[in-house]
Amino acid sequence: MGKTNDSTLTEFVLVGLSAHPKLQTVFFVLVLWMYLMILLGNGVLISVIFYDPHLHTPMYFFLCNLSFLDICYTSSSVPLILDSFMTVSKRVSFSGCMVQMFLSFAMGATECVLLGMMALDRYVAICYPLRYPVIMSKGAYVSMAVGSWVSGIVDSMVQTSLAMQLPFCSKNVITHFVCEILAILKLACADISINIISMAGSNLIVLAIPLLVISISYIFIVATILRIPSTEGKCKAFSTCSAHLTVVIIFYGTIFFMYAKPKSKSSVGIDNQDITEALISLFYGVMTPMLNPLIYSLRNKGVKAAVKNMLGRKNFSDGI
């Protein structure tokens, strides 16, 4: 059972879709393709922003952080997911599981806070356009990005350290593709009330507060846009934040769908529900990072122009 003589748990077993071997092959190919698209799409977006001096602004700095964050988030879990698809039951050491959980939780929490910072950036840009260069100085937007990363990492350190202190007795089978914190807490054979309270505080800080900031920011943004007299001016103002709003809806929509579902009480229902939650978590883990660069590329004229400019110069240099 992965235990030593002193009854200390040494490993976890990830079952994932082991009961559905045909689906494992399909999902292996699908997830691998999506992961490669994530690396390509976000890598190109980072390169374009770094390459084009016209994109060296606060909005694109945050976007560059978001793309790098998506690469880190998926790289912390997707290799383990792909490996689990290739085996009947994937065994992961206790320390390896905790490291993977820490990285995934840190990246997810950081993205929540970063999306809130990006909403503040759009609020200042649209509601106070003349003061925008002063308010969103380099020192300000770099500090906002650093604060997002620090808050996510610190939050993950707290949750991971609390989880590591729990006894797991003989339960070490995780009905998931990765070492997801809620799936691990279900295996503990001790009171997890401290963990629940801590998770509630974490959700308040990195989920509820950023969402509140985003909501209030967009209330003022919409009010400001509606006061613009020309239709062209309204469309131009809204286009600068439509990509961010789309990403927020997908990101938070998936989270709320994942945790707001009614819980099944039958044992069969619980097993099916665990698989369903794992699949939704998989969608959340790879689909959103894959869509982000696509959304920003399609809905952002600055990015599209930079890509065309970079490709045009590359073709010109190749011709020479």
Side-chain angles (χ1 to χ4, degrees):
M1 295 297 292
K3 299 171 71 66
T4 59
N5 293 332
D6 60 352
S7 298
T8 301
L9 191 70
T10 59
E11 66 179 18
F12 288 103
V13 178
L14 303 172
V15 294
L17 290 174
S18 58
H20 309 277
K22 292 183 179 179
L23 284 179
Q24 280 188 311
T25 304
V26 174
F27 274 96
F28 176 84
V29 176
L30 180 61
V31 172
L32 177 60
W33 177 81
M34 294 172 72
Y35 181 53
L36 294 176
M37 290 301 101
I38 289 169
L39 297 179
L40 177 63
N42 287 285
V44 168
L45 195 56
I46 292 172
S47 300
V48 167
I49 293 173
F50 181 79
Y51 169 82
D52 195 328
H54 296 97
L55 301 183
H56 294 176
T57 62
M59 181 178 76
Y60 293 107
F61 175 78
F62 287 125
L63 179 55
C64 194
N65 273 266
L66 181 64
S67 292
F68 180 70
L69 189 60
D70 284 338
I71 291 175
C72 293
Y73 179 75
T74 52
S75 296
S76 69
S77 58
V78 169
L80 184 60
I81 293 173
L82 293 174
D83 194 17
S84 68
F85 286 149
M86 300 299 292
T87 56
V88 176
S89 57
K90 171 63 179 176
R91 295 183 180 274
V92 185
S93 67
F94 182 86
S95 58
C97 195
M98 292 299 109
V99 169
Q100 186 268 310
M101 185 179 72
F102 165 77
L103 292 174
S104 295
F105 196 96
M107 298 303 105
T110 301
E111 183 159 351
C112 291
V113 181
L114 186 63
L115 288 173
M117 297 298 184
M118 294 173 76
L120 285 176
D121 171 69
R122 293 298 83 207
Y123 162 73
V124 177
I126 293 176
C127 297
Y128 302 97
L130 299 180
R131 297 176 58 191
Y132 179 73
V134 178
I135 297 175
M136 294 301 295
S137 62
K138 185 175 182 179
Y141 66 75
V142 169
S143 298
M144 291 167 69
V146 171
S148 301
W149 284 91
V150 170
S151 60
I153 291 172
V154 170
D155 185 27
S156 184
M157 288 178 63
V158 172
Q159 305 308 324
T160 304
S161 61
L162 288 175
M164 290 178 67
Q165 297 174 28
L166 292 172
F168 292 95
C169 304
S170 60
K171 297 180 180 180
N172 71 334
V173 178
I174 303 175
T175 312
H176 211 285
F177 305 106
V178 294
C179 298
E180 199 263 345
I181 188 166
L182 294 181
I184 289 177
L185 291 180
K186 291 179 181 179
L187 303 180
C189 55
D191 182 23
I192 59 171
S193 57
I194 298 297
N195 301 79
I196 297 300
I197 294 173
S198 179
M199 285 290 292
S202 170
N203 290 338
L204 175 64
I205 295 172
V206 302
L207 274 176
I209 293 180
L211 183 59
L212 181 63
V213 170
I214 292 170
S215 301
I216 294 175
S217 297
Y218 274 100
I219 289 174
F220 284 103
I221 287 172
V222 171
T224 301
I225 291 176
L226 291 177
R227 289 199 297 267
I228 298 176
S230 66
T231 303
E232 181 182 356
K234 291 179 181 178
C235 292
K236 185 177 180 181
F238 183 74
S239 66
T240 63
C241 57
S242 59
H244 173 260
L245 185 59
T246 304
V247 169
V248 167
I249 291 172
I250 295 174
F251 182 83
Y252 277 97
T254 307
I255 292 177
F256 288 141
F257 180 78
M258 186 162 44
Y259 294 113
K261 303 187 312 300
K263 302 297 181 181
S264 175
K265 295 183 179 180
S266 67
S267 58
V268 176
I270 290 174
D271 291 339
N272 292 333
Q273 181 176 309
D274 287 341
I275 294 297
T276 302
E277 289 178 353
L279 289 173
I280 295 173
S281 178
L282 178 62
F283 169 84
Y284 164 76
V286 295
M287 184 63 75
T288 305
M290 187 183 74
L291 291 177
N292 285 353
L294 185 63
I295 292 170
Y296 275 99
S297 298
L298 293 177
R299 305 186 68 88
N300 191 292
K301 294 181 180 179
V303 173
K304 287 192 288 186
V307 170
K308 290 180 180 179
N309 185 38
M310 186 173 69
L311 293 176
R313 290 193 179 186
K314 184 180 184 300
N315 292 334
F316 177 76
S317 62
D318 290 342
I320 295 176

